[in-house]
Amino acid sequence: KSGLEPYEPTYAAGLLAGHAAGWLRSGEALDFHDVKTVVTELLRGFGVEASTWSGPSRNAAFLHPGVSADVRLGDTVIGAVGELHPKVARALGVEA
């Protein structure tokens, strides 16, 4: 190899919006904990156990600093989850 091969990282993104279904929280707005559960189960599906959730996320300025976390696998940050930052939401016209 020449060392000039392009670096092409792979990313995944998701969005949850709306209200919870089911008997326990029916009708309540989805929140950070719902997102964390989805991401945890998604990673498990790939055979990965996220070892730590540390917040606020330092890697995603578009997320709310009080409602976000970096997802870590050991010492490596592999992602971020959280609520959209209020300023970003307003700029995009997102109400929920």
Side-chain angles (χ1 to χ4, degrees), residues 4-63:
L4 299 176
E5 291 80 16
Y7 175 67
E8 297 181 5
T10 301
Y11 296 95
L15 170 76
L16 290 182
H19 300 278
W23 63 275
L24 186 60
R25 295 182 43 224
S26 183
E28 286 188 34
L30 296 171
D31 63 15
F32 173 81
H33 299 288
D34 296 305
V35 173
K36 184 178 172 188
T37 298
V38 169
V39 171
T40 298
E41 292 304 316
L42 178 67
L43 290 173
R44 277 193 189 135
F46 288 110
V48 175
E49 287 289 329
S51 59
T52 341
W53 298 80
S54 60
S57 175
R58 295 185 184 139
N59 299 297
F62 58 90
L63 295 177

Side-chain angles (χ1 to χ4, degrees), residues 11-12 29 36 49-51 71-72 77-79 87-88 91 93:
Y11 296 95
K36 184 178 172 188
E49 287 289 329
S51 59
V71 183
R72 296 179 176 274
V77 174
I78 62 170
K87 289 181 181 179
V88 174

